[in-house]
Amino acid sequence: MPIESSKADDPPEGAAARAPRADARRNRDRVLEAAAEVVAEQGTQASLRDVARRAEVGLGTLYRHFPTREALLEALLRRRFERLAERADTLAATAPPERALTDWLAEFALGTAVYRGLPATLMATLADAASPLHAACLEMRQAGGRLLAAAQQAGLVRPDVAAVDLYALVNALSWIADQAPGLAERRDHLFRLVMDGLKPQG
C-alpha cells in the first residue's frame, strides 16, 4: 500500500520561493564585500572577473546583480554619499556659512580619494543622467549646493560660482593627488587656494 504523505511533511508554502531569494541576497552581499576589497586594491577600473572570483560566484551572477560597473560602484558608494548629504545638513544647522562650506568640501575631497580612479569616474558620470552614479551623487551635490547658496547670501563667496563649479574644482584636487601621488602632500595647500579663489573680488 502506498504511503500517503502528510501536509506536515510538505515544505511550508512559499519556502521554495524564499530560498532562492535568500541565496540571491547572500550572493549580492558576497559580491559587494569582494568588490570593496578588489576596488580598494585596483581602483575603480578593477577587474570585475577578479571581483566575481573573490566572491566565489560566476561572472553571470555578478552581472545579474550589477549589470554595469557604475551600478556596482553606486552600491559601494551610496551610503558614503548619503552621509555626506546628511553632514551638509548638520553643518548648515550648526556652523557659520563659510565654515560649514569649507568643512563639507574638505570632507567631500577626502571621500573622493577613497578609491584610486574615483575622481575621474565621478566627473565622467556628472553629465550622464543615465548613470547610477549620477543619481547617487545628486542628493549629495544638492546638499553641497545649499551650503554654497548660504555662503553666497552671506557675501562670503562670489556670486558667479555655481554648485557644479565647486564640485568640479574640489573633485579636481583629488584627481591631481590621484594622478600625481607626489603632490598629495600639497592637497591642503591647493584646497586653500581654491577656497581663496571663491571669495568675492575686491
Side-chain angles (χ1 to χ4, degrees), residues 158-182:
R158 49 193 292 174
D160 61 337
V161 177
V164 69
D165 300 332
L166 207 55
Y167 181 81
L169 283 170
V170 177
N171 198 56
L173 296 180
S174 296
W175 181 86
I176 290 170
D178 194 34
Q179 296 297 307

Side-chain angles (χ1 to χ4, degrees), residues 32-125:
L32 282 175
E33 290 172 8
E37 296 173 359
V38 175
V39 174
E41 296 167 4
Q42 302 180 15
T44 57
Q45 297 304 309
S47 165
L48 297 186
R49 190 174 298 278
D50 286 351
V51 173
R53 186 180 298 116
R54 189 167 302 188
E56 299 181 343
V57 301
L59 195 57
T61 296
L62 184 151
Y63 281 121
R64 275 196 296 276
H65 292 289
F66 305 105
T68 65
R69 180 183 301 275
E70 287 77 15
L72 178 58
L73 289 173
E74 187 273 338
L76 284 177
L77 295 166
R78 182 191 308 122
R79 184 56 192 145
R80 183 180 298 273
F81 294 152
E82 290 172 350
R83 283 196 296 266
L84 276 170
E86 293 164 1
R87 179 67 172 148
D89 292 338
T90 298
L91 286 168
T94 59
E98 185 176 23
R99 173 53 53 191
L101 180 63
T102 301
D103 287 356
W104 186 83
L105 288 174
E107 293 179 27
F108 168 71
L110 285 175
T112 58
V114 64
Y115 294 132
R116 187 171 71 254
L118 182 57
T121 298
L122 292 179
M123 289 306 298
T125 59

